[in-house]
Amino acid sequence: MTGFLGQALLYIVPFLLVLTFIVTIHELGHFLVARAFGVKIDRFSIGFGKTIVGRTDRHGTEWRIAWLPLGGYVKFSGDLDASSVPDQAGLAELRQRVIAEHGPGAERDYFHFKPIWQRALIVAAGPAANFLLALVLLTALFMALGELIAPPRVGLVTPGSPAAEAGFQRGDMIRTVNGRAVDESADVTEIVILSANDPVRFTVDRAGQVVSLVATPVRQVEQNAIAGRVQVARIGLRMEPLRSDYRYRRLNPFEAAGKATERIGAVLTSTVTYLGRIFAGKESGDLLNGPLGIAKAAGGITQQSAAASSDPGLSALNVLINLVQFAALVSIGIGFVNLLPIPVLDGGHLLFYGYEAVARRPVPARVQEVGYRVGLALLAGLMLFATWNDLQKNGLFTFLGGLA
């Protein structure tokens, strides 16, 4: 029983810490921009449920920490409906109530009566804060650790695999994939994973000679300590750079920020590509993950990082580094999901504001209600699908490593 509780805490605690931190930053993005525009804010909460500790600042905003650490929220004054985008009648009613309670002109401090561009910036500030957080975390990691480049040199070709049939040989150095120059093993792996059943063109350097090869990745079931059982596209290569192949360089703050920006762009591009392949029927969605998968990954990363060294100090440092990188990736994901044009998300609000800017009136209440219900159904369906994936494979991460 004690062992079970220990394992549960190992997975749950890192997940809650990472999730609460990221969501708090997301909500802080909304809060700071709203405060800059003079919006009246009732509450900023870290966690949900009953208040553990709280205080009210000079602006009348209640700051509190609640007992359920599953994120947080910011509540603007006048937020009555679930969509936070009242229609024309709702705005008129809210205006009358505010004027009756606080006098003429008080409505100008309320979110819903701010200009559209200000409301749009406040809404977009949440996802923007997530991307900024990822940028800061990754920049700090690159500054602290530098950049270690592991070139894609072929160390092993699996007999009978697509790579073997294509003519790959041990010692080949992969230079381009589908015309794109690659510098690291992970670059090759990422392209292969997103190309199941599609021919992939390679250019390799074989003892000074340029050789062109074509291999078609096939899905195979893999079991990983963190990923669990997943289907991943492979061609049957293992990258094993020689000691002389590795390159390391320190990065100044500008170089680190550039590298971090590049990494964020790569993650977003891969995400959009993968989702596009799902809608095109080329992927099963097996790599989509929900809360269970993220919790499993957080715990697995913590466990493996701690076991990497017998020195307690080095183990703690390793855990911190890997959780920071993990938090950056999750923050990118949360920022991206919130920008989807689904009414219950920030992207849906931006969609409504776009309509309002063109039509010069808010979206009708009936349309908002339908959109809200459809949005909830879409999110619920996506969550159920992702949770089903989590339960099936019992994990999350597919480490790129040197596999292709």
Side-chain angles (χ1 to χ4, degrees), residues 52-296:
I52 297 176
V53 60
R55 60 176 291 270
T56 300
D57 65 20
R58 62 187 179 87
H59 298 282
T61 301
E62 176 194 5
W63 294 79
R64 70 170 198 155
I65 298 177
W67 70 275
L68 189 59
L70 288 175
Y73 64 92
V74 57
K75 182 181 184 299
F76 300 135
S77 296
D79 278 355
L80 300 177
D81 63 333
S83 69
S84 290
V85 187
D87 64 354
Q88 200 73 38
L91 283 173
E93 180 183 350
L94 177 60
R95 186 189 301 272
Q96 291 178 359
R97 180 167 59 82
V98 171
I99 292 176
E101 293 179 1
H102 304 287
E107 74 277 6
R108 289 194 292 269
D109 294 334
Y110 282 67
F111 173 80
H112 300 298
F113 300 110
K114 293 294 182 179
I116 295 177
W117 68 270
Q118 291 187 9
R119 282 180 277 149
L121 286 178
I122 292 170
V123 169
N130 285 129
F131 296 130
L132 180 60
L133 173 62
L135 178 64
V136 170
L137 293 179
L138 292 176
T139 298
L141 284 179
F142 281 123
M143 286 178 59
L145 304 178
E147 180 183 23
L148 179 63
I149 300 175
R153 184 179 294 278
V154 177
L156 175 67
V157 181
T158 303
S161 67
E165 295 176 359
F168 277 95
Q169 296 181 12
R170 177 183 174 86
D172 286 348
M173 178 69 80
I174 300 175
R175 296 301 187 189
T176 69
V177 181
N178 285 338
R180 166 187 161 188
V182 291
D183 297 319
E184 301 186 62
S185 299
D187 295 334
V188 178
T189 306
E190 179 181 343
I191 296 174
V192 168
I193 286 177
L194 296 175
S195 303
N197 301 317
D198 292 338
V200 179
R201 296 174 288 105
F202 297 86
T203 298
V204 305
D205 182 340
R206 180 175 296 167
Q209 293 185 339
V210 177
V211 180
S212 297
L213 305 170
V214 178
T216 301
V218 295
R219 292 192 186 92
Q220 62 185 49
V221 177
E222 296 183 359
Q223 187 73 29
N224 184 278
I226 292 178
R229 184 178 61 83
V230 292
Q231 293 187 52
V232 183
R234 303 291 193 193
I235 59 173
L237 292 181
R238 179 177 292 278
M239 308 302 173
E240 295 179 355
L242 303 176
R243 184 181 296 271
S244 58
D245 290 333
Y246 286 95
R247 303 193 305 275
Y248 173 82
R249 67 185 183 114
R250 302 289 299 180
L251 299 176
N252 62 42
F254 295 103
E255 292 172 330
K259 192 69 179 177
T261 302
E262 179 183 321
R263 181 65 58 85
I264 292 171
V267 172
L268 291 174
T269 299
S270 297
T271 300
V272 172
T273 300
Y274 184 68
L275 292 177
R277 289 177 62 83
I278 291 177
F279 284 110
K282 295 183 177 181
E283 295 288 349
S284 64
D286 188 53
L287 298 181
L288 288 179
N289 302 277
L292 293 179
I294 298 174
K296 177 68 164 56

